[in-house]
């Protein structure tokens, strides 16, 4: 079974920083796309950032200039560096991998931003 495990979530003050990590196990091939989504209470899950096999990146407008996504293909990990955090960034963050057309999700990690 493929399993993705997030880590690094927690409580941070407004303007602070946090680094999320996601490690995958049980996969043979490097993911075509690694990404991070988030979901706040009462809202739909939204794409935060994505990175391709060639390290091309895309970010949600709300996080551009503040968040950075990176990947290590050898280790099958993806990180999300979050800076200048705002209250609206509070959510459960999920990492996702797309591997040859199949989508895999982690269980999520809580990020809380105190105002």
């Amino acid at each position: 079974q493929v399993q993705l495990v997030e880590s690094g979530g927690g409580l941070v003050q407004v303007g602070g920083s946090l680094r999320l990590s996601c490690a995958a196990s049980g996969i043979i091939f490097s993911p075509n796309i690694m990404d991070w989504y988030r979901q706040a209470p009462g809202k739909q899950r939204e794409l935060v950032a994505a990175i391709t096999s060639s390290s091309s990146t895309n970010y949600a407008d709300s996080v551009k200039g503040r968040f950075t996504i990176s990947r290590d293909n050898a280790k099958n990990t993806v990180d999300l560096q979050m800076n200048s955090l705002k209250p609206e960034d509070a959510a459960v963050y999920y990492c996702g991998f797309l591997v040859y057309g199949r989508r895999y999700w982690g269980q999520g990690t809580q990020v809380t931003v105190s105002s």
Side-chain angles (χ1 to χ4, degrees):
Q1 280 283 100
V2 173
Q3 185 172 5
L4 280 61
V5 180
E6 302 98 337
S7 62
L11 175 65
V12 64
Q13 293 185 348
V14 171
S17 297
L18 210 58
R19 187 177 185 88
L20 306 182
S21 296
C22 177
S25 62
I27 63 173
I28 304 300
F29 304 102
S30 182
N32 303 94
I33 297 173
M34 297 179 176
D35 49 32
W36 286 93
Y37 282 72
R38 67 187 181 189
Q39 187 169 24
K43 296 184 178 180
Q44 297 293 107
R45 186 174 298 187
E46 64 174 350
L47 177 67
V48 177
I51 185 167
T52 69
S53 299
S54 60
S55 296
S56 295
T57 59
N58 289 101
Y59 297 92
D61 289 341
S62 59
V63 306
K64 286 182 179 177
R66 299 188 298 119
F67 290 12
T68 302
I69 187 171
S70 60
R71 65 186 285 170
D72 186 327
N73 292 330
K75 298 179 179 179
N76 286 325
T77 59
V78 59
D79 290 357
L80 184 68
Q81 178 66 47
M82 305 184 294
N83 298 326
S84 302
L85 284 162
K86 304 175 180 179
E88 52 263 42
D89 294 320
V92 177
Y93 284 70
Y94 301 87
C95 68
F97 288 6
L98 185 66
V99 185
Y100 289 97
R102 302 199 68 173
R103 165 63 73 168
Y104 300 92
W105 294 103
Q107 294 300 305
T109 185
Q110 178 71 53
V111 172
T112 303
V113 183
S114 62
S115 60

